[in-house]
Amino acid sequence: MNGSLKQLTRLLMTLMALTWLCLGAQAAPPKILTIVIQGSGTVTLDPPGGSYSRGTPVTMTAIPAQGWNFDHWSGPTVDGYTNNPQVILMYNNYTVTATFVQPTGADVVRK
């Protein structure tokens, strides 16, 4: 091969590789956030929907039912966290449990 043909071949191979990478990135499946409720309450997601592009930050807000308190989150990346709201970055499919408890004795209902 002469020099020009080699350069053209390298350029075409590079363009094919970049095209393959770009198409692969666009076709990446969404990351799914599944919320499980233990006790009585709800969880809102911002942005809503439960299906996200990789790396999307999602704010989970636990809202206890009347007479219940939010206690903690459990699941990958948030196990045992008590922050409310809590942000999770969607790099994988995740299942997160929001645990709500009823106050006992001297417990005071928190919001």
Side-chain angles (χ1 to χ4, degrees), residues 50-67:
S51 178
Y52 305 97
S53 299
R54 189 179 198 302
T56 300
V58 179
T59 302
M60 307 178 295
T61 303
I63 304 165
Q66 186 171 359

Side-chain angles (χ1 to χ4, degrees), residues 34-44 62-63 73 96-100:
T34 302
I35 301 295
V36 175
I37 304 295
Q38 186 174 45
S40 188
T42 61
V43 173
T44 61
I63 304 165
W73 304 103
V96 174
T97 300
T99 300
F100 299 92

